[in-house]
Amino acid sequence: MFFLFSARRHGRAPLFSLTGCVAVLVTSLTLPAPVFAADALSLAEAQRLAVERSRQITAQDAAVTASREMAVAAGRLPDPVLKIGVDNLPVSGPDRGSLTADFMTMRRIGVMQEITRSDKRTLRAERYQREAVKGLAEKDKTIADVERDTAIAWLDRYYTEAMASVIASQRDQAQREREAADAAYRAGRGSQADVLSARAAVAQFDDRMDDAARRVRRAKIALARWVGDTADQPLSGQPAIDTIRLDPASFDTQLEHHPEIAVLNKQADVAATEVKLAEANKKSDWTVEVGYAQRGPGYSNMISFGVSVPLQWDQKNRQDRELAAKLAIADQARAERDEMLRAHTAETRIMVTEWQTNRERLARYSWELIPLAQERSEATLAAYRGGKATLAEVLAARRGELDVRLAGLQLEADTAQLWAQLNFLFPTSHGAMPAAAIPRNMK
């Protein structure tokens, strides 16, 4: 803090980045020292574990495999149909039940095959291939969601533990002031009211510590949902929340490839393929049939063959209606994609604006509000020791300092949450989003 006060005395505004600002803020908040143990859980490691443990990602892989298998099956002709039967079997008269006496009785075997047009089979296979590509886009979205939610849970635990540490530090100071008040009362230099005020302050800190411990336990449970038993490990590393992976030079272009937008793009591709398939269905498929019929010993055996063609006599109310429906679904997919892109763009710009504003507020807490609150506490304590202030004023100053410190930590936690939502819009495996600080006046 010496640099800070020196710069203020000389009337200079110190230059800083958010990383430096946060470092000073962390120091002033008396957070625990970073953990570097081998078993410590970093943010990146937590995200890796969460992705490995995610059953939703496994489900997406299965869906992609299913679509690819269906693409192969859809490109084949339908299975041929084996037909076996008896034609013209007598049921009365002297030839009743005989397979050979009447010349019209035939034992028949044949094969029927639907000849699906090759363009239809190609389009059906293409539809499932596009479903597989859509499944890969959904997998990317799932990975991004898992990484973002894991980061939020990790950061929540990080800052709840930091707040608990600040409260514990202030509680220790309150305990020392209580002991001093007890000693002064026994020596006849203090009042019983001071003793009671000091004890009440310690009790209040104990209550706040219990609440902070509850929040820490809740944060560990939330993190365990993603990383399992490793959620109980100490956390390591302070997140650098002053940079995000969005490139300001191609902000709008990048959002067009946001995982949710990518899924809608692939859904639009599926709908477009279904439109082509509906157009192809306006041309009928043929079915060919060949059969062999065996008659009695005194009669000739026979073969039969034929072709079946569906008569699309009501195209305007069947095939044309189906095509119109598929066209409407394709329009719906494109409209939903466009609307989602607008919504994501607006939401992201709002988050960027809030993130930038919070960075400036964090700087104010680091360079002004917290040091001033600390100076006030120290000045009030010095005045109390000199007999110019009451213990109640000292305790009030301490509470004010704690409130400012906790408010600063809460602001940093909120900023970190925004950072996580912005930084993990895309899976970390995507290399198209280099780390870059967003300019403050980005429009």
Side-chain angles (χ1 to χ4, degrees), residues 167 170-179 181 193-209 391-392 394-399 402:
I167 294 172
Q170 292 291 309
R171 195 268 181 198
D172 291 341
Q173 293 184 15
Q175 178 62 27
R176 289 193 293 269
E177 290 165 357
R178 171 188 171 179
E179 293 170 355
D194 287 345
V195 173
L196 295 175
S197 296
R199 291 179 180 178
V202 173
Q204 290 175 352
F205 278 116
D206 287 339
D207 182 68
R208 297 185 76 164
M209 286 182 64
L391 181 60
V394 174
L395 296 177
R398 288 293 186 198
R399 286 193 298 270
L402 175 63

PDB file of all heavy atoms in Angstrom, residues 167 170-179 181 193-209 391-392 394-399 402:
ATOM      1  N   ILE A 167     -13.774 -11.906   7.198  1.00  0.00           N
ATOM      2  CA  ILE A 167     -14.570 -11.858   8.434  1.00  0.00           C
ATOM      3  C   ILE A 167     -13.778 -12.444   9.600  1.00  0.00           C
ATOM      4  O   ILE A 167     -13.794 -11.906  10.723  1.00  0.00           O
ATOM      5  CB  ILE A 167     -15.898 -12.611   8.238  1.00  0.00           C
ATOM      6  CG1 ILE A 167     -16.756 -11.879   7.201  1.00  0.00           C
ATOM      7  CG2 ILE A 167     -16.659 -12.742   9.550  1.00  0.00           C
ATOM      8  CD1 ILE A 167     -18.011 -12.632   6.798  1.00  0.00           C
ATOM      9  N   GLN A 170     -11.228  -9.883  10.763  1.00  0.00           N
ATOM     10  CA  GLN A 170     -11.862  -8.815  11.533  1.00  0.00           C
ATOM     11  C   GLN A 170     -12.336  -9.323  12.895  1.00  0.00           C
ATOM     12  O   GLN A 170     -12.291  -8.606  13.891  1.00  0.00           O
ATOM     13  CB  GLN A 170     -13.052  -8.254  10.744  1.00  0.00           C
ATOM     14  CG  GLN A 170     -12.652  -7.506   9.488  1.00  0.00           C
ATOM     15  CD  GLN A 170     -11.954  -6.200   9.768  1.00  0.00           C
ATOM     16  OE1 GLN A 170     -12.439  -5.384  10.539  1.00  0.00           O
ATOM     17  NE2 GLN A 170     -10.794  -6.011   9.152  1.00  0.00           N
ATOM     18  N   ARG A 171     -12.755 -10.573  12.957  1.00  0.00           N
ATOM     19  CA  ARG A 171     -13.169 -11.153  14.225  1.00  0.00           C
ATOM     20  C   ARG A 171     -11.991 -11.239  15.186  1.00  0.00           C
ATOM     21  O   ARG A 171     -12.136 -10.995  16.391  1.00  0.00           O
ATOM     22  CB  ARG A 171     -13.763 -12.538  13.966  1.00  0.00           C
ATOM     23  CG  ARG A 171     -14.561 -13.104  15.131  1.00  0.00           C
ATOM     24  CD  ARG A 171     -13.729 -13.950  16.055  1.00  0.00           C
ATOM     25  NE  ARG A 171     -14.502 -14.511  17.138  1.00  0.00           N
ATOM     26  CZ  ARG A 171     -13.981 -15.000  18.246  1.00  0.00           C
ATOM     27  NH1 ARG A 171     -12.660 -14.977  18.432  1.00  0.00           N
ATOM     28  NH2 ARG A 171     -14.751 -15.506  19.200  1.00  0.00           N
ATOM     29  N   ASP A 172     -10.812 -11.586  14.646  1.00  0.00           N
ATOM     30  CA  ASP A 172      -9.618 -11.627  15.501  1.00  0.00           C
ATOM     31  C   ASP A 172      -9.316 -10.244  16.082  1.00  0.00           C
ATOM     32  O   ASP A 172      -8.965 -10.113  17.267  1.00  0.00           O
ATOM     33  CB  ASP A 172      -8.420 -12.131  14.699  1.00  0.00           C
ATOM     34  CG  ASP A 172      -8.558 -13.608  14.341  1.00  0.00           C
ATOM     35  OD1 ASP A 172      -9.355 -14.306  15.003  1.00  0.00           O
ATOM     36  OD2 ASP A 172      -7.879 -14.043  13.397  1.00  0.00           O
ATOM     37  N   GLN A 173      -9.457  -9.213  15.262  1.00  0.00           N
ATOM     38  CA  GLN A 173      -9.232  -7.856  15.766  1.00  0.00           C
ATOM     39  C   GLN A 173     -10.273  -7.481  16.814  1.00  0.00           C
ATOM     40  O   GLN A 173      -9.953  -6.873  17.843  1.00  0.00           O
ATOM     41  CB  GLN A 173      -9.271  -6.865  14.605  1.00  0.00           C
ATOM     42  CG  GLN A 173      -8.122  -7.017  13.618  1.00  0.00           C
ATOM     43  CD  GLN A 173      -8.148  -5.945  12.545  1.00  0.00           C
ATOM     44  OE1 GLN A 173      -8.842  -4.942  12.677  1.00  0.00           O
ATOM     45  NE2 GLN A 173      -7.382  -6.156  11.482  1.00  0.00           N
ATOM     46  N   ALA A 174     -11.536  -7.880  16.577  1.00  0.00           N
ATOM     47  CA  ALA A 174     -12.582  -7.592  17.555  1.00  0.00           C
ATOM     48  C   ALA A 174     -12.317  -8.327  18.866  1.00  0.00           C
ATOM     49  O   ALA A 174     -12.588  -7.792  19.956  1.00  0.00           O
ATOM     50  CB  ALA A 174     -13.946  -7.986  16.992  1.00  0.00           C
ATOM     51  N   GLN A 175     -11.776  -9.543  18.767  1.00  0.00           N
ATOM     52  CA  GLN A 175     -11.458 -10.283  19.986  1.00  0.00           C
ATOM     53  C   GLN A 175     -10.353  -9.585  20.771  1.00  0.00           C
ATOM     54  O   GLN A 175     -10.420  -9.491  22.006  1.00  0.00           O
ATOM     55  CB  GLN A 175     -11.038 -11.710  19.615  1.00  0.00           C
ATOM     56  CG  GLN A 175     -10.623 -12.586  20.790  1.00  0.00           C
ATOM     57  CD  GLN A 175     -11.742 -12.816  21.783  1.00  0.00           C
ATOM     58  OE1 GLN A 175     -12.917 -12.770  21.416  1.00  0.00           O
ATOM     59  NE2 GLN A 175     -11.396 -13.038  23.046  1.00  0.00           N
ATOM     60  N   ARG A 176      -9.352  -9.066  20.084  1.00  0.00           N
ATOM     61  CA  ARG A 176      -8.278  -8.339  20.783  1.00  0.00           C
ATOM     62  C   ARG A 176      -8.828  -7.070  21.434  1.00  0.00           C
ATOM     63  O   ARG A 176      -8.411  -6.703  22.552  1.00  0.00           O
ATOM     64  CB  ARG A 176      -7.149  -8.006  19.799  1.00  0.00           C
ATOM     65  CG  ARG A 176      -6.355  -9.232  19.366  1.00  0.00           C
ATOM     66  CD  ARG A 176      -5.082  -8.834  18.651  1.00  0.00           C
ATOM     67  NE  ARG A 176      -5.359  -8.188  17.373  1.00  0.00           N
ATOM     68  CZ  ARG A 176      -5.452  -8.840  16.225  1.00  0.00           C
ATOM     69  NH1 ARG A 176      -5.339 -10.163  16.204  1.00  0.00           N
ATOM     70  NH2 ARG A 176      -5.682  -8.198  15.101  1.00  0.00           N
ATOM     71  N   GLU A 177      -9.738  -6.395  20.744  1.00  0.00           N
ATOM     72  CA  GLU A 177     -10.337  -5.198  21.339  1.00  0.00           C
ATOM     73  C   GLU A 177     -11.211  -5.548  22.545  1.00  0.00           C
ATOM     74  O   GLU A 177     -11.260  -4.804  23.527  1.00  0.00           O
ATOM     75  CB  GLU A 177     -11.154  -4.458  20.271  1.00  0.00           C
ATOM     76  CG  GLU A 177     -10.274  -3.813  19.204  1.00  0.00           C
ATOM     77  CD  GLU A 177     -11.040  -3.398  17.963  1.00  0.00           C
ATOM     78  OE1 GLU A 177     -12.265  -3.671  17.924  1.00  0.00           O
ATOM     79  OE2 GLU A 177     -10.433  -2.843  17.037  1.00  0.00           O
ATOM     80  N   ARG A 178     -11.864  -6.709  22.497  1.00  0.00           N
ATOM     81  CA  ARG A 178     -12.638  -7.148  23.658  1.00  0.00           C
ATOM     82  C   ARG A 178     -11.714  -7.410  24.842  1.00  0.00           C
ATOM     83  O   ARG A 178     -12.018  -7.019  25.975  1.00  0.00           O
ATOM     84  CB  ARG A 178     -13.411  -8.414  23.298  1.00  0.00           C
ATOM     85  CG  ARG A 178     -14.066  -9.066  24.508  1.00  0.00           C
ATOM     86  CD  ARG A 178     -14.664 -10.414  24.164  1.00  0.00           C
ATOM     87  NE  ARG A 178     -15.096 -11.105  25.368  1.00  0.00           N
ATOM     88  CZ  ARG A 178     -15.667 -12.299  25.365  1.00  0.00           C
ATOM     89  NH1 ARG A 178     -15.864 -12.947  24.210  1.00  0.00           N
ATOM     90  NH2 ARG A 178     -16.049 -12.872  26.500  1.00  0.00           N
ATOM     91  N   GLU A 179     -10.611  -8.077  24.580  1.00  0.00           N
ATOM     92  CA  GLU A 179      -9.669  -8.354  25.674  1.00  0.00           C
ATOM     93  C   GLU A 179      -9.109  -7.054  26.248  1.00  0.00           C
ATOM     94  O   GLU A 179      -8.937  -6.928  27.473  1.00  0.00           O
ATOM     95  CB  GLU A 179      -8.536  -9.245  25.148  1.00  0.00           C
ATOM     96  CG  GLU A 179      -9.006 -10.655  24.756  1.00  0.00           C
ATOM     97  CD  GLU A 179      -7.936 -11.428  24.016  1.00  0.00           C
ATOM     98  OE1 GLU A 179      -6.861 -10.825  23.736  1.00  0.00           O
ATOM     99  OE2 GLU A 179      -8.161 -12.625  23.707  1.00  0.00           O
ATOM    100  N   ALA A 181     -10.682  -4.179  26.250  1.00  0.00           N
ATOM    101  CA  ALA A 181     -11.765  -3.540  27.001  1.00  0.00           C
ATOM    102  C   ALA A 181     -11.928  -4.198  28.365  1.00  0.00           C
ATOM    103  O   ALA A 181     -12.158  -3.517  29.381  1.00  0.00           O
ATOM    104  CB  ALA A 181     -13.067  -3.615  26.216  1.00  0.00           C
ATOM    105  N   ALA A 193     -20.024  -0.509  29.818  1.00  0.00           N
ATOM    106  CA  ALA A 193     -20.662  -0.393  28.505  1.00  0.00           C
ATOM    107  C   ALA A 193     -19.690  -0.744  27.388  1.00  0.00           C
ATOM    108  O   ALA A 193     -20.063  -1.373  26.388  1.00  0.00           O
ATOM    109  CB  ALA A 193     -21.199   1.019  28.315  1.00  0.00           C
ATOM    110  N   ASP A 194     -18.404  -0.332  27.533  1.00  0.00           N
ATOM    111  CA  ASP A 194     -17.403  -0.681  26.529  1.00  0.00           C
ATOM    112  C   ASP A 194     -17.196  -2.189  26.472  1.00  0.00           C
ATOM    113  O   ASP A 194     -17.049  -2.778  25.389  1.00  0.00           O
ATOM    114  CB  ASP A 194     -16.081   0.013  26.847  1.00  0.00           C
ATOM    115  CG  ASP A 194     -16.129   1.500  26.552  1.00  0.00           C
ATOM    116  OD1 ASP A 194     -17.068   1.934  25.845  1.00  0.00           O
ATOM    117  OD2 ASP A 194     -15.227   2.231  27.016  1.00  0.00           O
ATOM    118  N   VAL A 195     -17.183  -2.812  27.654  1.00  0.00           N
ATOM    119  CA  VAL A 195     -16.999  -4.264  27.698  1.00  0.00           C
ATOM    120  C   VAL A 195     -18.152  -4.957  26.990  1.00  0.00           C
ATOM    121  O   VAL A 195     -17.958  -5.874  26.172  1.00  0.00           O
ATOM    122  CB  VAL A 195     -16.889  -4.746  29.154  1.00  0.00           C
ATOM    123  CG1 VAL A 195     -16.859  -6.283  29.206  1.00  0.00           C
ATOM    124  CG2 VAL A 195     -15.640  -4.174  29.809  1.00  0.00           C
ATOM    125  N   LEU A 196     -19.377  -4.528  27.276  1.00  0.00           N
ATOM    126  CA  LEU A 196     -20.537  -5.152  26.646  1.00  0.00           C
ATOM    127  C   LEU A 196     -20.557  -4.905  25.135  1.00  0.00           C
ATOM    128  O   LEU A 196     -20.918  -5.783  24.350  1.00  0.00           O
ATOM    129  CB  LEU A 196     -21.814  -4.615  27.294  1.00  0.00           C
ATOM    130  CG  LEU A 196     -22.009  -4.976  28.777  1.00  0.00           C
ATOM    131  CD1 LEU A 196     -23.240  -4.299  29.334  1.00  0.00           C
ATOM    132  CD2 LEU A 196     -22.097  -6.488  28.950  1.00  0.00           C
ATOM    133  N   SER A 197     -20.175  -3.702  24.726  1.00  0.00           N
ATOM    134  CA  SER A 197     -20.128  -3.401  23.286  1.00  0.00           C
ATOM    135  C   SER A 197     -19.103  -4.284  22.577  1.00  0.00           C
ATOM    136  O   SER A 197     -19.350  -4.788  21.473  1.00  0.00           O
ATOM    137  CB  SER A 197     -19.782  -1.928  23.073  1.00  0.00           C
ATOM    138  OG  SER A 197     -20.808  -1.096  23.589  1.00  0.00           O
ATOM    139  N   ALA A 198     -17.930  -4.469  23.221  1.00  0.00           N
ATOM    140  CA  ALA A 198     -16.892  -5.312  22.625  1.00  0.00           C
ATOM    141  C   ALA A 198     -17.350  -6.756  22.521  1.00  0.00           C
ATOM    142  O   ALA A 198     -17.117  -7.432  21.515  1.00  0.00           O
ATOM    143  CB  ALA A 198     -15.607  -5.214  23.443  1.00  0.00           C
ATOM    144  N   ARG A 199     -18.018  -7.262  23.576  1.00  0.00           N
ATOM    145  CA  ARG A 199     -18.513  -8.632  23.530  1.00  0.00           C
ATOM    146  C   ARG A 199     -19.601  -8.783  22.469  1.00  0.00           C
ATOM    147  O   ARG A 199     -19.652  -9.801  21.749  1.00  0.00           O
ATOM    148  CB  ARG A 199     -19.054  -9.020  24.908  1.00  0.00           C
ATOM    149  CG  ARG A 199     -17.964  -9.163  25.975  1.00  0.00           C
ATOM    150  CD  ARG A 199     -18.563  -9.533  27.328  1.00  0.00           C
ATOM    151  NE  ARG A 199     -17.523  -9.667  28.333  1.00  0.00           N
ATOM    152  CZ  ARG A 199     -17.760  -9.945  29.630  1.00  0.00           C
ATOM    153  NH1 ARG A 199     -19.019 -10.092  30.055  1.00  0.00           N
ATOM    154  NH2 ARG A 199     -16.759 -10.064  30.483  1.00  0.00           N
ATOM    155  N   ALA A 200     -20.476  -7.797  22.346  1.00  0.00           N
ATOM    156  CA  ALA A 200     -21.515  -7.859  21.322  1.00  0.00           C
ATOM    157  C   ALA A 200     -20.906  -7.858  19.927  1.00  0.00           C
ATOM    158  O   ALA A 200     -21.386  -8.558  19.020  1.00  0.00           O
ATOM    159  CB  ALA A 200     -22.474  -6.683  21.478  1.00  0.00           C
ATOM    160  N   ALA A 201     -19.827  -7.081  19.747  1.00  0.00           N
ATOM    161  CA  ALA A 201     -19.169  -7.055  18.437  1.00  0.00           C
ATOM    162  C   ALA A 201     -18.598  -8.419  18.089  1.00  0.00           C
ATOM    163  O   ALA A 201     -18.719  -8.893  16.955  1.00  0.00           O
ATOM    164  CB  ALA A 201     -18.075  -5.989  18.428  1.00  0.00           C
ATOM    165  N   VAL A 202     -17.963  -9.082  19.074  1.00  0.00           N
ATOM    166  CA  VAL A 202     -17.407 -10.416  18.832  1.00  0.00           C
ATOM    167  C   VAL A 202     -18.526 -11.394  18.494  1.00  0.00           C
ATOM    168  O   VAL A 202     -18.400 -12.229  17.583  1.00  0.00           O
ATOM    169  CB  VAL A 202     -16.601 -10.895  20.046  1.00  0.00           C
ATOM    170  CG1 VAL A 202     -16.169 -12.363  19.873  1.00  0.00           C
ATOM    171  CG2 VAL A 202     -15.369 -10.028  20.245  1.00  0.00           C
ATOM    172  N   ALA A 203     -19.640 -11.293  19.235  1.00  0.00           N
ATOM    173  CA  ALA A 203     -20.767 -12.191  18.962  1.00  0.00           C
ATOM    174  C   ALA A 203     -21.312 -11.974  17.553  1.00  0.00           C
ATOM    175  O   ALA A 203     -21.686 -12.932  16.859  1.00  0.00           O
ATOM    176  CB  ALA A 203     -21.864 -11.966  20.006  1.00  0.00           C
ATOM    177  N   GLN A 204     -21.381 -10.726  17.128  1.00  0.00           N
ATOM    178  CA  GLN A 204     -21.856 -10.442  15.775  1.00  0.00           C
ATOM    179  C   GLN A 204     -20.917 -11.029  14.726  1.00  0.00           C
ATOM    180  O   GLN A 204     -21.366 -11.576  13.710  1.00  0.00           O
ATOM    181  CB  GLN A 204     -22.003  -8.937  15.589  1.00  0.00           C
ATOM    182  CG  GLN A 204     -23.161  -8.323  16.373  1.00  0.00           C
ATOM    183  CD  GLN A 204     -23.197  -6.811  16.262  1.00  0.00           C
ATOM    184  OE1 GLN A 204     -22.276  -6.190  15.722  1.00  0.00           O
ATOM    185  NE2 GLN A 204     -24.261  -6.210  16.778  1.00  0.00           N
ATOM    186  N   PHE A 205     -19.613 -10.910  14.992  1.00  0.00           N
ATOM    187  CA  PHE A 205     -18.653 -11.498  14.053  1.00  0.00           C
ATOM    188  C   PHE A 205     -18.776 -13.015  14.041  1.00  0.00           C
ATOM    189  O   PHE A 205     -18.642 -13.650  12.981  1.00  0.00           O
ATOM    190  CB  PHE A 205     -17.225 -11.087  14.418  1.00  0.00           C
ATOM    191  CG  PHE A 205     -16.850  -9.723  13.896  1.00  0.00           C
ATOM    192  CD1 PHE A 205     -16.564  -8.688  14.761  1.00  0.00           C
ATOM    193  CD2 PHE A 205     -16.790  -9.481  12.539  1.00  0.00           C
ATOM    194  CE1 PHE A 205     -16.210  -7.436  14.278  1.00  0.00           C
ATOM    195  CE2 PHE A 205     -16.442  -8.234  12.043  1.00  0.00           C
ATOM    196  CZ  PHE A 205     -16.162  -7.202  12.923  1.00  0.00           C
ATOM    197  N   ASP A 206     -19.018 -13.626  15.204  1.00  0.00           N
ATOM    198  CA  ASP A 206     -19.209 -15.078  15.248  1.00  0.00           C
ATOM    199  C   ASP A 206     -20.407 -15.482  14.392  1.00  0.00           C
ATOM    200  O   ASP A 206     -20.370 -16.497  13.671  1.00  0.00           O
ATOM    201  CB  ASP A 206     -19.414 -15.536  16.695  1.00  0.00           C
ATOM    202  CG  ASP A 206     -18.118 -15.488  17.503  1.00  0.00           C
ATOM    203  OD1 ASP A 206     -17.031 -15.494  16.877  1.00  0.00           O
ATOM    204  OD2 ASP A 206     -18.188 -15.445  18.746  1.00  0.00           O
ATOM    205  N   ASP A 207     -21.477 -14.696  14.473  1.00  0.00           N
ATOM    206  CA  ASP A 207     -22.656 -15.002  13.667  1.00  0.00           C
ATOM    207  C   ASP A 207     -22.364 -14.867  12.190  1.00  0.00           C
ATOM    208  O   ASP A 207     -22.788 -15.706  11.376  1.00  0.00           O
ATOM    209  CB  ASP A 207     -23.800 -14.065  14.071  1.00  0.00           C
ATOM    210  CG  ASP A 207     -25.075 -14.378  13.300  1.00  0.00           C
ATOM    211  OD1 ASP A 207     -25.663 -15.455  13.532  1.00  0.00           O
ATOM    212  OD2 ASP A 207     -25.472 -13.552  12.455  1.00  0.00           O
ATOM    213  N   ARG A 208     -21.626 -13.831  11.820  1.00  0.00           N
ATOM    214  CA  ARG A 208     -21.281 -13.646  10.413  1.00  0.00           C
ATOM    215  C   ARG A 208     -20.337 -14.743   9.936  1.00  0.00           C
ATOM    216  O   ARG A 208     -20.403 -15.175   8.777  1.00  0.00           O
ATOM    217  CB  ARG A 208     -20.664 -12.263  10.191  1.00  0.00           C
ATOM    218  CG  ARG A 208     -21.626 -11.128  10.520  1.00  0.00           C
ATOM    219  CD  ARG A 208     -21.063  -9.762  10.184  1.00  0.00           C
ATOM    220  NE  ARG A 208     -21.101  -9.516   8.753  1.00  0.00           N
ATOM    221  CZ  ARG A 208     -20.966  -8.300   8.204  1.00  0.00           C
ATOM    222  NH1 ARG A 208     -20.830  -7.226   8.992  1.00  0.00           N
ATOM    223  NH2 ARG A 208     -20.997  -8.146   6.900  1.00  0.00           N
ATOM    224  N   MET A 209     -19.462 -15.221  10.827  1.00  0.00           N
ATOM    225  CA  MET A 209     -18.571 -16.328  10.459  1.00  0.00           C
ATOM    226  C   MET A 209     -19.366 -17.605  10.224  1.00  0.00           C
ATOM    227  O   MET A 209     -19.066 -18.370   9.301  1.00  0.00           O
ATOM    228  CB  MET A 209     -17.521 -16.541  11.551  1.00  0.00           C
ATOM    229  CG  MET A 209     -16.430 -15.480  11.585  1.00  0.00           C
ATOM    230  SD  MET A 209     -15.186 -15.814  12.856  1.00  0.00           S
ATOM    231  CE  MET A 209     -14.497 -17.351  12.256  1.00  0.00           C
ATOM    232  N   LEU A 391     -15.082   3.565  22.593  1.00  0.00           N
ATOM    233  CA  LEU A 391     -14.938   2.245  22.000  1.00  0.00           C
ATOM    234  C   LEU A 391     -16.046   1.994  20.977  1.00  0.00           C
ATOM    235  O   LEU A 391     -15.823   1.315  19.970  1.00  0.00           O
ATOM    236  CB  LEU A 391     -14.968   1.165  23.092  1.00  0.00           C
ATOM    237  CG  LEU A 391     -14.803  -0.284  22.601  1.00  0.00           C
ATOM    238  CD1 LEU A 391     -13.464  -0.453  21.881  1.00  0.00           C
ATOM    239  CD2 LEU A 391     -14.915  -1.269  23.758  1.00  0.00           C
ATOM    240  N   ALA A 392     -17.237   2.537  21.235  1.00  0.00           N
ATOM    241  CA  ALA A 392     -18.332   2.372  20.275  1.00  0.00           C
ATOM    242  C   ALA A 392     -17.970   2.958  18.920  1.00  0.00           C
ATOM    243  O   ALA A 392     -18.307   2.391  17.869  1.00  0.00           O
ATOM    244  CB  ALA A 392     -19.600   3.039  20.814  1.00  0.00           C
ATOM    245  N   VAL A 394     -14.924   3.168  17.768  1.00  0.00           N
ATOM    246  CA  VAL A 394     -13.932   2.256  17.196  1.00  0.00           C
ATOM    247  C   VAL A 394     -14.630   1.065  16.543  1.00  0.00           C
ATOM    248  O   VAL A 394     -14.307   0.676  15.411  1.00  0.00           O
ATOM    249  CB  VAL A 394     -12.942   1.777  18.272  1.00  0.00           C
ATOM    250  CG1 VAL A 394     -12.003   0.711  17.698  1.00  0.00           C
ATOM    251  CG2 VAL A 394     -12.127   2.946  18.799  1.00  0.00           C
ATOM    252  N   LEU A 395     -15.590   0.488  17.275  1.00  0.00           N
ATOM    253  CA  LEU A 395     -16.300  -0.671  16.733  1.00  0.00           C
ATOM    254  C   LEU A 395     -17.106  -0.302  15.488  1.00  0.00           C
ATOM    255  O   LEU A 395     -17.190  -1.077  14.541  1.00  0.00           O
ATOM    256  CB  LEU A 395     -17.221  -1.250  17.807  1.00  0.00           C
ATOM    257  CG  LEU A 395     -16.509  -1.810  19.051  1.00  0.00           C
ATOM    258  CD1 LEU A 395     -17.521  -2.283  20.079  1.00  0.00           C
ATOM    259  CD2 LEU A 395     -15.571  -2.948  18.672  1.00  0.00           C
ATOM    260  N   ALA A 396     -17.703   0.893  15.499  1.00  0.00           N
ATOM    261  CA  ALA A 396     -18.437   1.339  14.318  1.00  0.00           C
ATOM    262  C   ALA A 396     -17.514   1.495  13.119  1.00  0.00           C
ATOM    263  O   ALA A 396     -17.867   1.146  11.990  1.00  0.00           O
ATOM    264  CB  ALA A 396     -19.165   2.646  14.615  1.00  0.00           C
ATOM    265  N   ALA A 397     -16.319   2.029  13.364  1.00  0.00           N
ATOM    266  CA  ALA A 397     -15.339   2.174  12.281  1.00  0.00           C
ATOM    267  C   ALA A 397     -14.915   0.809  11.752  1.00  0.00           C
ATOM    268  O   ALA A 397     -14.749   0.625  10.545  1.00  0.00           O
ATOM    269  CB  ALA A 397     -14.129   2.965  12.762  1.00  0.00           C
ATOM    270  N   ARG A 398     -14.745  -0.152  12.688  1.00  0.00           N
ATOM    271  CA  ARG A 398     -14.377  -1.500  12.271  1.00  0.00           C
ATOM    272  C   ARG A 398     -15.480  -2.121  11.407  1.00  0.00           C
ATOM    273  O   ARG A 398     -15.208  -2.753  10.391  1.00  0.00           O
ATOM    274  CB  ARG A 398     -14.134  -2.378  13.496  1.00  0.00           C
ATOM    275  CG  ARG A 398     -12.862  -2.072  14.273  1.00  0.00           C
ATOM    276  CD  ARG A 398     -11.642  -2.422  13.449  1.00  0.00           C
ATOM    277  NE  ARG A 398     -10.425  -2.263  14.272  1.00  0.00           N
ATOM    278  CZ  ARG A 398      -9.200  -2.167  13.753  1.00  0.00           C
ATOM    279  NH1 ARG A 398      -9.055  -2.180  12.426  1.00  0.00           N
ATOM    280  NH2 ARG A 398      -8.148  -2.033  14.539  1.00  0.00           N
ATOM    281  N   ARG A 399     -16.718  -1.956  11.847  1.00  0.00           N
ATOM    282  CA  ARG A 399     -17.823  -2.504  11.057  1.00  0.00           C
ATOM    283  C   ARG A 399     -17.897  -1.842   9.689  1.00  0.00           C
ATOM    284  O   ARG A 399     -18.158  -2.492   8.674  1.00  0.00           O
ATOM    285  CB  ARG A 399     -19.139  -2.317  11.810  1.00  0.00           C
ATOM    286  CG  ARG A 399     -19.326  -3.248  12.997  1.00  0.00           C
ATOM    287  CD  ARG A 399     -20.770  -3.229  13.478  1.00  0.00           C
ATOM    288  NE  ARG A 399     -21.172  -1.903  13.944  1.00  0.00           N
ATOM    289  CZ  ARG A 399     -21.039  -1.472  15.190  1.00  0.00           C
ATOM    290  NH1 ARG A 399     -20.509  -2.258  16.117  1.00  0.00           N
ATOM    291  NH2 ARG A 399     -21.446  -0.262  15.545  1.00  0.00           N
ATOM    292  N   LEU A 402     -15.179  -3.341   7.560  1.00  0.00           N
ATOM    293  CA  LEU A 402     -15.535  -4.683   7.116  1.00  0.00           C
ATOM    294  C   LEU A 402     -16.571  -4.622   5.999  1.00  0.00           C
ATOM    295  O   LEU A 402     -16.468  -5.342   4.995  1.00  0.00           O
ATOM    296  CB  LEU A 402     -16.079  -5.490   8.296  1.00  0.00           C
ATOM    297  CG  LEU A 402     -16.612  -6.888   7.940  1.00  0.00           C
ATOM    298  CD1 LEU A 402     -15.494  -7.762   7.381  1.00  0.00           C
ATOM    299  CD2 LEU A 402     -17.254  -7.551   9.151  1.00  0.00           C
TER     300      LEU A 402
END
